[in-house]
Amino acid sequence: MSIIGKAIKPFTATAYKEGKFVDVTDADVKGKWSVFFFYPADFTFVCPTELEDLADIYPTLQKMGVEVYSVSTDTHFSHKAWHDTSPAIGKINYYMLGDQNHVISNNFDILREGVGLADRGTFVADPDGVVQLVEITPEGVGRNAAELLRKIKAAQYWASHPGEVCPAKWEEGETTLAPSFDLVGKI
């Protein structure tokens, strides 16, 4: 069952962010766009490549009013240890949420049943805390932060321009579509 168009469910978690442990709740994510970036586990192989890729675009996302929350079922202590020992993870300045009780993973329906690990999933919520984008890939397939950035730009454009939609491969500044009776069968 899709969670697109549904509000983020309540949660409370401790995160590692910029040398500190901080508490984060569902209420904290409201008021700006947010990315929940689930990955299976700390100290793994594909995960650091994705998290580093996301860290590289984090300043751009911040300028766009987007906050990032990476989430795994590890603890915030594990996140700190990984951050302190991995050059790739050491680049991260966004929130690294610990979800050892599986509340957040279950809320997003991304927990691998019987395994205790989150699948590789990305969820983008609007400032009202409503999920607008979802991407889920298998464990062996890493995600592309540049494509995530493109999708967020499209979602933000679509949200602020009622009556317009962004076609495939749409990039910021390109032509959008205005669905109408006149376009039916002509695209």
Side-chain angles (χ1 to χ4, degrees), residues 35 75 79 97-98 110 150-151 179:
V35 174
T75 67
H79 294 334
L97 296 176
I110 197 75
R150 185 198 72 78
K151 288 178 184 178

Side-chain angles (χ1 to χ4, degrees), residues 6-13 24-30 36 97 99 101-108 129:
K6 295 184 179 161
I8 294 171
K9 294 179 181 177
F11 73 87
T12 300
V24 178
T25 71
D26 56 296
D28 295 323
V29 306
K30 293 192 179 166
F36 286 83
L97 296 176
D99 187 33
N101 60 10
H102 303 167
V103 169
I104 306 169
S105 298
N106 278 318
N107 284 356
F108 284 86

